[in-house]
Amino acid sequence: METAIDRIMQTYALLNRSDTAREEARTRVTDYVAKLFEAGERDPHRLAVCGLTFLCELDGSVDPVKAGYTGL
């Protein structure tokens, strides 16, 4: 599980997030990945993808409207 969290945070850091945002993100994604792990997901690659998707949804970078895209 720790391998997946480390991979998530390395990738998330590449998205130019602030140190404060990364600290908060690590706490939130650790809780999220722990729930997935407890539910039976053991594949570290799948955990990493799910965790990164979770963080991107939280900060709005997956949603073009939240990310500021107006289409103009």
Side-chain angles (χ1 to χ4, degrees), residues 14-30:
L14 294 173
L15 299 173
N16 296 321
R17 306 297 186 226
S18 69
D19 289 339
T20 305
R22 286 195 305 260
E23 290 172 18
E24 182 180 336
R26 185 174 193 90
T27 301
R28 294 185 82 173
V29 81
T30 298

Side-chain angles (χ1 to χ4, degrees), residues 31-71:
D31 292 341
Y32 179 73
V33 170
K35 288 178 186 175
L36 293 176
F37 192 82
E38 290 170 10
E41 183 58 65
R42 299 291 191 261
D43 182 352
H45 301 291
R46 188 166 171 85
L47 288 169
V49 169
C50 291
L52 190 57
T53 301
F54 171 76
L55 289 180
C56 289
E57 286 176 354
L58 280 180
D59 72 12
S61 61
V62 173
D63 184 349
V65 175
K66 286 183 182 178
Y69 178 72
T70 60

